[in-house]
Amino acid sequence: MRPEPSDNSSGKQFVSEQKALLENIERLNRIGVALSAERDNARLLETILLGAKQITNADGGTLYTVTDDQRLKFEIMRTDTLGIAMGGTTGKDIPFPPLPLYREDGSANTNMVAAYSVLNDTTINIEDAYKAEGFDFSGTRKFDQNTGYRSKSFLTIPMKNHEKEIIGVLQLLNAIDPATGKVIPFSAAHQQLAESLASQAAVALTNHNLIEGLKDLFESFIELIADAIDEKSPYTGGHCRRVPELAMMLADAAIKTSDGPLKSFTMSDKELYELRIAAWLHDCGKVTTPEYVVDKPTKLATIFDRIQLIDLRFELLKKQAEADILRKQMEAVKKGQLTHVQTLEIQLQAYKRQLDDDREFLRTANIGGEFMTAEHQERVTRIAAYQLQDADGKTVPFLSENEVYNLNISRGTLTSEERQIINNHIVVTINMLESLPYPKALRRVPEYAGGHHERMDGKGYPRGLTREQMSIPARLMGIADIFEALTARDRPYKKAKTLSESLFILGKMKLDNHVDPDLFDLFIREKIYLDYARQFLEPEQIDSVDESKIPGYCA
């Protein structure tokens, strides 16, 4: 049974102690709720230490975490009397090196009270550090000498999680008597409350570390997929890394703008994280795209570049022409037509020059480019009409139908069928991403990642969405993807474009209702293109940009 107070004075003391205990329990509960809600590691550690100081009325304290190499790392330090606040959210680094749990010879470092607490899984409650035996407080004494402080009572508690693993140490310094302001030992009640807090804190910290660990693993896996896609083709290497950077630059500018159509646009940290994940995964469907399409460097490339065969055919045409002319010259000599012999020689040399010129033309056409004129396509068809004799003496076309079809590709190096295979990567991307069980905070990843080939006028693919049907993050992904591709220096069919060239093309795309007009204007006005260029483009690409000459730009 609870003992009754012996007199009025003791009764008041009893009531006061019970009230203080209830208040501390309430504080402990509030701290526990705060610990479970905190997601930032620095604030979490800070909440643990400040909460422990509060319920024990301690003047100071230190929180350590156990590192993988068996050391105690200083995370948070506070001493109210001296105005010391380091670590956590203060922005001030703690200058002290980690405390080793084991000496260099492998023996346990039991002289240090924090290490002893971990190694023996026990709470250490010391009334006076200067009188304590078995522990090395020489560093404490030196600190006191330099500051004029008097370190006296210590309460050191190992932080053990639900898996019985010690992940840190909570050390409190100098309990203060609220009535007198004097330093007193930590009471048994204070120790019990602090131990309870340390246990809750360890679980909260473990959960936080587990969440962060899974988050880091998730992000690393995403980056691994992106790197695998970039490595799959030497011609798009780095694309999956550069697009997220540009997308986040544009999103940040849209959030910060204070005027114009985007002034009310905002994104939380969680939403920005969602966008970043989507940007990393925007081309994940390319893992299924065949290498021969992704890596097609020239129009005639298959297992090898067939332009080499065409080079040989040109030489064969020359030899066949030489043989034909030689026969005609011999007949002319027999007939005494010496002037005709010279004429035939002139015709042969002119024919050879024409063949050389046609060969250079096909070599250039084979590389591909932004646009091939109808005149050049007709020239390919004329060259295909050259007559060539095969090994059996039969006349065959100089170029096959497939070679003519590929050489007449109007843009780039891909045929329409091959481009469809490439374009299908976005369908695969959407299917892959929509099949994943996202947490609530990442459910829009498929929408953002799958919208970078849509157009504002609904003529894009794969879903033909209009501007009104797309969110702002999905729309900005399109600009990021296009601008990166325009300025990329690793595409086989074109040289790297300068800033002015790229912005001119992007401006035309705005006028053509391809990209979002408001985001395009923001992209120019805030000079996001220049910030990106300084990080990722070659110096020769960063030319002077006259924004007044960019098509469609509204300042």
Side-chain angles (χ1 to χ4, degrees):
M1 294 180 63
R2 179 180 298 171
E4 294 295 329
S6 59
D7 53 37
N8 190 44
S9 176
S10 60
K12 288 182 179 179
Q13 182 180 356
F14 177 80
V15 171
S16 177
E17 289 176 353
Q18 292 300 304
K19 182 180 179 181
L21 178 61
L22 288 174
E23 288 177 351
N24 279 332
I25 291 175
E26 288 178 4
R27 288 194 189 104
L28 182 62
N29 288 336
R30 287 196 298 271
I31 294 168
V33 171
L35 291 178
S36 64
E38 187 55 69
R39 293 292 176 264
D40 180 80
N41 188 62
R43 287 197 295 266
L44 176 60
L45 294 172
E46 206 164 69
T47 301
I48 294 169
L49 180 60
L50 297 182
K53 283 175 75 276
Q54 183 183 44
I55 63 175
T56 61
N57 205 33
D59 183 50
T62 302
L63 192 148
Y64 307 86
T65 55
V66 179
T67 63
D68 292 337
D69 60 351
Q70 295 295 291
R71 294 174 182 271
L72 295 178
K73 178 186 177 184
F74 289 84
E75 295 286 359
I76 312 282
M77 286 188 71
R78 296 286 189 278
T79 306
D80 296 343
T81 301
L82 297 175
I84 294 175
M86 293 186 288
T89 61
T90 66
K92 296 180 180 179
D93 294 332
I94 299 176
F96 309 123
L99 306 178
L101 293 177
Y102 297 93
R103 301 184 182 91
E104 291 184 2
D105 62 3
S107 61
N109 185 17
T110 54
N111 288 342
M112 292 185 175
V113 64
Y116 183 94
S117 179
V118 173
L119 295 170
N120 292 277
D121 187 12
T122 186
T123 297
I124 309 297
N125 193 336
I126 297 174
E127 293 186 11
D128 191 338
Y130 285 17
K131 298 178 181 180
E133 297 180 357
F135 297 114
D136 180 7
F137 280 104
S138 59
T140 300
R141 288 176 178 270
K142 185 176 181 181
F143 174 82
D144 289 352
Q145 290 172 3
N146 293 334
T147 61
Y149 192 71
R150 174 63 164 91
S151 301
K152 192 172 184 181
S153 56
F154 277 80
L155 181 61
T156 307
I157 306 168
M159 296 169 58
K160 185 162 55 178
N161 64 19
H162 60 289
E163 296 179 343
K164 307 301 181 183
E165 177 188 9
I166 296 176
I167 63 171
V169 177
L170 177 62
Q171 189 172 71
L172 301 170
L173 169 66
N174 285 0
I176 304 297
D177 186 334
T180 65
K182 293 182 178 181
V183 176
I184 59 174
F186 289 94
S187 66
H190 282 162
Q191 178 175 327
Q192 188 174 9
L193 286 170
E195 286 176 337
S196 177
L197 173 59
S199 178
Q200 293 182 57
V203 173
L205 194 55
T206 297
N207 288 340
H208 177 272
N209 291 340
L210 178 61
I211 292 171
E212 288 299 308
L214 291 174
K215 184 178 176 181
D216 289 343
L217 178 62
F218 175 62
E219 291 179 16
S220 297
F221 185 67
I222 288 172
E223 292 182 19
L224 182 68
I225 294 174
D227 286 344
I229 294 168
D230 283 343
E231 288 294 328
K232 187 174 183 180
S233 170
Y235 306 117
T236 56
H239 174 75
C240 291
R241 282 190 170 273
R242 293 190 290 265
V243 167
E245 296 293 332
L246 187 51
M248 299 313 292
M249 288 180 187
L250 190 49
D252 183 62
I255 292 169
K256 291 179 179 177
T257 189
S258 57
D259 52 18
L262 296 169
K263 64 182 179 181
S264 61
F265 174 72
T266 184
M267 294 184 79
S268 66
D269 289 343
K270 288 184 178 179
E271 290 170 332
L272 283 170
Y273 179 74
E274 186 176 35
L275 174 61
R276 191 165 73 88
I277 294 301
W280 272 101
L281 289 171
H282 80 284
D283 268 349
C284 67
K286 284 184 178 178
V287 296
T288 65
T289 307
E291 284 85 350
Y292 78 88
V293 176
V294 175
D295 285 354
K296 191 181 181 187
T298 63
K299 295 180 180 180
L300 292 174
T302 51
I303 298 176
F304 64 97
D305 193 344
R306 289 176 290 170
I307 195 69
Q308 300 168 16
L309 295 179
I310 293 176
D311 283 342
L312 292 176
R313 290 179 205 160
F314 274 111
E315 291 302 315
L316 184 57
L317 274 179
K318 289 180 182 180
K319 296 301 180 185
Q320 290 180 350
E322 287 174 356
D324 183 56
I325 291 295
L326 184 58
R327 283 194 297 271
K328 291 179 179 179
Q329 287 176 329
M330 291 178 65
E331 292 176 0
V333 169
K334 290 179 181 179
K335 296 178 181 179
Q337 301 173 345
L338 299 181
T339 302
H340 187 52
V341 172
Q342 186 63 30
T343 300
L344 291 172
E345 182 63 29
I346 293 173
Q347 292 175 357
L348 174 62
Q349 296 305 318
Y351 182 65
K352 284 184 176 181
R353 285 193 296 271
Q354 179 61 48
L355 292 180
D356 287 339
D357 187 57
D358 287 342
R359 177 167 59 183
E360 287 305 313
F361 167 75
L362 291 187
R363 284 175 176 173
T364 301
N366 184 45
I367 295 172
E370 293 298 322
F371 182 71
M372 186 177 190
T373 65
E375 180 183 354
H376 285 170
Q377 289 175 329
E378 290 174 4
R379 184 174 179 182
V380 170
T381 303
R382 289 199 304 271
I383 293 172
Y386 283 138
Q387 297 296 307
L388 191 68
Q389 288 186 339
D390 63 13
D392 298 324
K394 297 180 181 179
T395 300
V396 295
F398 181 74
L399 297 176
S400 68
E401 291 184 6
N402 180 266
E403 288 168 341
V404 172
Y405 180 56
N406 276 268
L407 285 168
N408 276 337
I409 294 170
S410 61
R411 178 178 175 272
T413 63
L414 301 176
T415 64
S416 58
E417 294 82 6
E418 291 165 340
R419 191 165 294 281
Q420 183 59 42
I421 293 174
I422 287 286
N423 291 348
N424 189 59
H425 83 272
I426 193 61
V427 177
V428 177
T429 293
I430 293 172
N431 291 339
M432 288 173 64
L433 295 181
E434 287 185 341
S435 69
L436 297 177
Y438 294 99
K440 185 178 180 180
L442 293 175
R443 288 179 183 171
R444 287 174 292 188
V445 165
E447 175 203 343
Y448 296 165
H452 63 281
H453 286 301
E454 301 290 352
R455 291 172 48 120
M456 301 305 100
D457 56 8
K459 297 179 182 179
Y461 63 92
R463 290 173 171 166
L465 300 176
T466 63
R467 181 173 187 254
E468 292 71 24
Q469 293 174 302
M470 299 173 67
S471 63
I472 291 176
R475 287 182 241 160
L476 70 82
M477 281 294 300
I479 291 179
D481 187 71
I482 292 168
F483 190 74
E484 192 287 327
L486 287 172
T487 56
R489 57 185 180 273
D490 43 22
R491 303 303 168 92
Y493 53 84
K494 69 177 185 67
K495 67 176 184 177
K497 293 191 178 300
T498 63
L499 278 180
S500 57
E501 290 172 333
S502 301
L503 293 174
F504 183 86
I505 294 171
L506 197 61
K508 287 286 190 181
M509 297 178 85
K510 173 194 172 178
L511 296 176
D512 196 32
N513 292 316
H514 192 136
V515 299
D516 183 86
D518 298 334
L519 288 169
F520 170 81
D521 290 340
L522 178 72
F523 186 72
I524 306 301
R525 184 171 63 250
E526 298 300 325
K527 291 183 169 47
I528 300 168
Y529 65 87
L530 190 57
D531 293 337
Y532 174 81
R534 287 168 177 162
Q535 293 185 47
F536 298 103
L537 302 192
E538 294 295 327
E540 58 269 21
Q541 290 180 264
I542 307 175
D543 60 350
S544 177
V545 175
D546 184 350
E547 294 179 354
S548 65
K549 294 183 179 179
I550 298 175
Y553 172 53
C554 298

